[in-house]
């Protein structure tokens, strides 16, 4: 039976490269000369800690980070910007977590989307991935199109295609 896996992964090395390129670009920008800017990547927790002088520079820094990550093939949806920046003394801090792996509720959304579509495939949740199996490869390709067109708010990759 043909099958494939739906996952949501972020390459740690690509994320590290994006943070390093962002740091390099910010140190060379004229509007950030003499400013307090700190960008730390916690590779184990997939979390980026950012410190800067004010809220406007924080927004610019996050824009640069997302653009550089996008050039490293990391989807902008992978960054969780739900936590607001906060003032800590003279600096503004923000913690940006990077979504890595499918959460249980996201996996359930994907399975529900597939089952509601009426396609003749089976979808099952295995830890942090959704395995989709079907009799025809065409059905599996329709599932991939369905997931790409649905706005789920999470970056998805399709791997391990077997026929």
């Amino acid at each position: 039976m043909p099958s494939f896996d739906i996952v949501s992964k972020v390459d740690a090395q690509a994320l590290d490269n994006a943070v390093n390129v962002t740091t390099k670009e910010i140190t060379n920008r004229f509007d950030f000369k003499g400013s307090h800017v700190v960008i730390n990547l916690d590779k184990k927790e997939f979390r980026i800690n950012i410190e800067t002088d004010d809220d406007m520079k924080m927004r610019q820094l996050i824009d640069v980070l997302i653009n550089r990550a996008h050039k490293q093939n990391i989807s902008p949806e992978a960054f969780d910007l739900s936590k607001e920046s906060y003032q800590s003394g003279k600096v503004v801090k923000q913690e940006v977590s990077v979504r890595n792996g499918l959460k249980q509720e996201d996996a359930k959304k994907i399975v529900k989307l597939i089952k509601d579509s009426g396609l003749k495939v089976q979808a099952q949740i295995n830890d942090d991935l959704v395995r989709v199996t079907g009799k025809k490869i065409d059905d599996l390709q329709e599932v991939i199109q369905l997931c790409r067109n649905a706005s789920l708010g999470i970056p998805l990759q399709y791997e391990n295609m077997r026929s």
Side-chain angles (χ1 to χ4, degrees), residues 54-111:
D54 56 42
D55 202 38
M56 185 183 76
K57 287 183 181 174
M58 178 66 71
R59 287 193 302 269
Q60 290 176 340
L61 194 60
I62 289 173
D63 284 344
V64 171
L65 175 66
I66 289 174
N67 287 333
R68 295 299 164 216
H70 190 65
K71 288 183 179 180
Q72 295 282 339
N73 291 326
I74 298 173
S75 174
E77 295 171 332
F79 296 100
D80 183 14
L81 300 170
S82 60
K83 290 186 179 177
E84 291 292 320
S85 57
Y86 57 93
Q87 190 78 29
S88 176
K90 293 183 179 179
V91 296
V92 176
K93 295 182 178 182
Q94 185 166 2
E95 189 177 276
V96 179
S97 56
V98 182
R99 294 181 182 112
N100 194 26
L102 278 175
K103 293 180 183 168
Q104 198 69 24
E105 62 265 9
D106 294 333
K108 287 179 182 177
K109 278 186 206 173
I110 293 169
V111 170

Side-chain angles (χ1 to χ4, degrees), residues 6 15 29 34 49 53 86 90 92 102 115 128 154:
I6 300 174
L15 183 63
R29 277 181 53 165
N49 296 313
D53 289 336
Y86 57 93
K90 293 183 179 179
V92 176
L102 278 175
K115 294 209 187 237
D128 62 346
I154 49 176

Side-chain angles (χ1 to χ4, degrees), residues 39-53:
I39 305 172
N40 288 328
L41 172 64
D42 184 1
K43 292 181 184 176
K44 291 180 182 170
E45 297 288 323
F46 277 90
R47 187 175 300 131
I48 303 169
N49 296 313
I50 303 172
E51 291 180 20
T52 188
D53 289 336

Side-chain angles (χ1 to χ4, degrees), residues 1-5 131-137 140 159-163:
M1 297 262 297
S3 68
F4 72 95
D5 298 332
R131 168 129 330 132
V132 181
T133 56
K135 291 184 179 177
K136 298 179 189 171
I137 291 183
L140 298 182
E159 59 183 30
N160 208 8
M161 180 70 113
R162 297 183 185 146
S163 53

